[in-house]
Amino acid sequence: LLFAMGLGTTITFASSHWLLAWMGLEINTLAILPLMCQSHHPRAVEATIKYFLTQATAAAMLLFASITNAWITGQWNLEFMSYSLPTTLVTVALALKIGLAPLHAWMPEVLQGLDLTTGLILSTWQKLAPFCLLLQINPSNTSLLLILGLASTLIGGWGGLNQNQLRKILAYSSIAHLGWMILVLQFFPSLTLLTLLMYFVMTFSLFISFKVNNSTTINSLSMSWSKTPIISSMVPFILLSLGGLPPLSGFMPKWLILQELTKQSLAPLATLAALSALLSLYFYLRISYAMTLTMSPNTLLNALPWRLPSNQHTLPLAITT
Amino acid sequence: MLKILIPSMFMLLTTWTSPFKQLWSTILMYSFLVATLSLTWLAMPTDTGWFYINNYMAYDPLSSPLLVLTCWLLPLMIIASQNHLAVEPENRQRTYISLLISLQIFLILAFSATEMIMFYVMFEATLIPTLIIITRWGNQMERLNAGTYFLFYTLAGSLPLLVALLIYHSSMGSLSYLSLTSLPLTCSNLYADKLWWMACLLAFLVKMPLYGVHLWLPKAHVEAPIAGSMVLAAVLLKLGGYGMMRIMIILDPLTKELSYPFIILALWGVIMTGSICLRQTDLKSLIAYSSVSHMGLVAAGILIQTPWGFTGALILMIAHGLTSSALFCLANTNYERTHSRTIILARGLQMVLPLMATWWFLASLANLALPPLPNLMGEIMIITSLFNWSFYTLILTGLGTLITASYSLYMFLLTQRGPIPHHLILLEPSHTREHLLLALHLLPLLLLIAKPELVWGWTA
């Protein structure tokens, strides 16, 4: 199954024909579906179905857009999308695939239904293929991408404020970061890649540290200082880095994106995006309060006996912090 | 410069590798060494020149007093924290000291930055150790709220600053301090330019703090442990003032009209926060509001943009840093004995701790700007330059001085004189450490009477 997922993404990467790209995305979706409903928990199954429906819709839209393009321009090549209708449709379809606002509604519920590892794969690996397609087409309408980006940062920030389920928080943080990536897509695509990679690293370490603590709500995080004190002291830095505070490395993509936006005379947009980062910073701060900065036991479940984490999990965490 | 920065960085290593029994004395000794070395910065052979260490760090008569203050404060913070950290496990003590040292490093880098973006990054970087110190080692439940207020007020002000700096960079090409003087933005009356002016200053006004956006300061100061309060009051507020002084160069000539409301707000804030001080029941809160009051005067002095204004602002910043930090240490001695910040719980201390009363006396006198202390020099220079700007400010500043004197004396009389309350049965005698701490605070202040040229800034 993992092999199939890898295969799907690789096909999409290597494709220059729309049909092949679409097939890669479909293989990707189909391969992750069994992984998602492995536990047979009703919520997991429900999440799987929601995910399947949204991704299938997106893939169908993508196919429709590529056929329209082929009808108009007579060729199937990926790079030569010069008409606005197919390009817009492709952008919207890919936005649905990765979960940009306003097409983001499936993301929190789907992530909530999965366990942490599958959620990690969903948040990171699944974004790679649509992004490579997004980077290759030349998006021709500026305002669509900017609206998508700004809406994502704002919704990602506001939506996460009322949550105390960690997976929903991570979903909203994913939406917000994707918004930042899309903002700069048409000006400086390398920055999009940089943001994507930085986001991957930070989210990976966060997911793994939550997995080691076996915690899915903020309350259950509060006992993590007794289980894994070293991880507990590192997680605030990861969280603040996700929020984009200097001098942590999460600041770098935000800084460069803001620089690019101001060079393009989009200063008010830059200010709005920067201020929306404050929203998501609030709930990152709240998580770090629960985890590290307070030691009061306000957990709802008993202090778990020492669960021995499999040691191979902590090494990638240590590297990616 | 490297003599200071590299030892500071390696002090982090020392914190984690020293044997535990000698941790505090080792760190103290090293930080005193660094502080003494930093005094060499004050010796300026040329009057206005920059001293370049490398391409990115430099210091000049404006930043060197603040740098020396920063370096001087680290040993003081360590002395002050020794008592309340003694009960904590070993690793947490080391973590605390590492946070203080990393804060010191960021502050040194901030004050010696030659480019505005580096200053910005370090300005923001100081937030993280301070946030961790306040929320992790603060003593009351409200510290989480305080940390959030602190972080978000400062960030909401400084993110527009980032965008404004990037705008300036894209239109002017460079943000290096050297070239700032020769590249002012051309005068224009567009609304967007006024927004840009506002964006540049908002971060520093929030940090100073200006009266309208000062709400984070009482919370943060009150909830922070002693070292956090000290560093907040003494140095972090001055980051705001320093940044404002640096960025004023490029903000002319818009500042002539646009600064009116802020000068008035600052002066009104002096009076308002002074009056609030007279009604406080919480000792640390009183000192925090007095900080807002003094920094309001500093903000007004900087916004006037005259040489005397700048000089007065810088002197007042240094003097206030030492005084406010000394007052917080005194409040902490009360707190460590009664574990409460309420003033009326610990009255009449002159009967019980007379030597401490001396320090209370000196610190209160410094707070109300007694001649010949440098506090007065700073205040008089600012008041004079404000009077030059407009006659009517004299009413506000005169009233402000009166109220400052009254609350400083109020604080002194309430804590020292009068009958001891009946419930104070057991008070520890003053430690030598506490006396040392306060002496080290007030001694530079007294020495500055003799040679204030050290902290005069450019008009030497």
Side-chain angles (χ1 to χ4, degrees), chain A:
Chain A
L1 277 173
L2 288 172
F3 167 70
M5 255 182 3
L7 181 66
T9 312
T10 323
I11 289 182
T12 318
F13 272 8
S15 63
S16 55
H17 193 280
W18 269 117
L19 201 55
L20 205 56
W22 174 79
M23 267 202 334
L25 287 174
E26 286 289 291
I27 295 179
N28 225 348
T29 314
L30 287 176
I32 203 177
L33 288 179
L35 274 175
M36 281 167 63
C37 59
Q38 234 175 5
S39 62
H40 295 295
H41 191 268
R43 184 170 276 162
V45 174
E46 175 191 341
T48 318
I49 297 180
K50 280 186 198 159
Y51 184 68
F52 171 65
L53 285 175
T54 48
Q55 299 290 311
T57 318
M61 255 202 305
L62 194 64
L63 196 58
F64 177 62
S66 54
I67 292 178
T68 317
N69 192 34
W71 185 256
I72 300 180
T73 60
Q75 46 84 27
W76 285 84
N77 211 338
L78 253 185
E79 285 96 20
F80 300 135
M81 303 245 325
S82 36
Y83 283 90
S84 60
L85 175 63
T87 322
T88 319
L89 265 183
V90 165
T91 318
V92 172
L94 290 172
L96 178 56
K97 258 209 182 295
I98 55 180
L100 281 177
L103 307 156
H104 66 287
W106 56 274
M107 177 91 99
E109 292 137 14
V110 167
L111 257 185
Q112 177 67 21
L114 310 172
D115 61 310
L116 284 167
T117 327
T118 321
L120 171 65
I121 300 178
L122 182 67
S123 302
T124 52
W125 187 256
Q126 295 288 85
K127 309 279 188 285
L128 276 177
F131 258 103
C132 95
L133 287 178
L134 268 173
L135 283 171
Q136 281 178 329
I137 61 179
N138 292 325
S140 54
N141 36 4
T142 310
S143 39
L144 174 68
L145 282 181
L146 293 179
I147 291 175
L148 280 178
L150 189 64
S152 295
T153 53
L154 288 172
I155 291 184
W158 263 312
L161 284 180
N162 199 18
Q163 308 292 340
N164 51 7
Q165 294 288 332
L166 283 174
R167 289 166 287 177
K168 285 217 175 94
I169 289 183
L170 286 168
Y172 281 108
S173 104
S174 166
I175 297 173
H177 280 270
L178 289 172
W180 277 92
M181 294 179 220
I182 292 294
L183 274 176
V184 80
L185 185 62
Q186 46 191 316
F187 305 123
F188 201 167
S190 331
L191 279 184
T192 310
L193 266 184
L194 174 71
T195 319
L196 190 65
L197 286 175
M198 295 275 343
Y199 171 68
F200 275 9
V201 170
M202 295 188 288
T203 318
F204 180 76
S205 40
L206 208 56
F207 263 103
I208 296 287
S209 49
F210 289 155
K211 180 122 175 81
V212 167
N213 285 321
N214 204 21
S215 57
T216 51
T217 69
I218 298 190
N219 272 342
S220 63
L221 268 181
S222 58
M223 289 304 284
S224 66
W225 63 271
S226 57
K227 292 186 223 169
T228 50
I230 300 186
I231 294 185
S232 303
S233 48
M234 285 291 124
V235 164
F237 288 113
I238 305 177
L239 283 167
L240 292 176
S241 177
L242 263 181
L245 278 190
L248 303 166
S249 46
F251 176 61
M252 172 170 68
K254 291 211 163 69
W255 176 13
L256 292 171
I257 292 179
L258 286 174
Q259 191 170 23
E260 197 53 44
L261 285 178
T262 52
K263 275 195 209 154
Q264 305 281 339
S265 332
L266 285 171
L269 178 69
T271 322
L272 268 178
L275 290 174
S276 69
L278 281 182
L279 289 169
S280 36
L281 183 65
Y282 180 69
F283 52 81
Y284 296 142
L285 193 63
R286 199 165 52 184
I287 301 180
S288 62
Y289 278 168
M291 193 164 184
T292 314
L293 296 174
T294 59
M295 298 275 167
S296 60
N298 58 348
T299 174
L300 290 183
L301 37 99
N302 334 327
L304 294 178
W306 296 101
R307 169 187 178 271
L308 300 173
S310 26
N311 276 328
Q312 63 261 27
H313 284 215
T314 54
L315 187 57
L317 174 58
I319 297 177
T320 56
T321 303

Side-chain angles (χ1 to χ4, degrees), chain A residues 225 237 240 245-248 251 255 258-259 262-263 267 270-271 274-275 278 281-282 285 289 292-295, chain B residues 92 106 117 120-121 124-125 128 131-132 135-136 143-144 147-148 151-152 155-156 159 162-163 166-167 169-170:
Chain A
W225 63 271
F237 288 113
L240 292 176
L245 278 190
L248 303 166
F251 176 61
W255 176 13
L258 286 174
Q259 191 170 23
T262 52
K263 275 195 209 154
T271 322
L275 290 174
L278 281 182
L281 183 65
Y282 180 69
L285 193 63
Y289 278 168
T292 314
L293 296 174
T294 59
M295 298 275 167
Chain B
R92 292 201 195 146
F106 287 139
I117 293 276
Y120 175 81
V121 174
E124 301 279 304
I128 299 183
L131 176 74
I132 299 181
T135 53
R136 174 66 190 85
R143 68 187 194 273
L144 298 177
T148 314
L151 191 67
F152 280 88
L155 278 179
L159 284 174
L162 179 62
V163 178
L166 290 171
I167 294 177
H169 182 79
S170 66

Side-chain angles (χ1 to χ4, degrees), chain B residues 93-104:
Chain B
Q93 293 192 18
R94 292 190 200 260
T95 317
Y96 191 79
I97 301 179
S98 321
L99 281 171
L100 289 180
I101 297 178
S102 60
L103 191 56
Q104 161 100 334

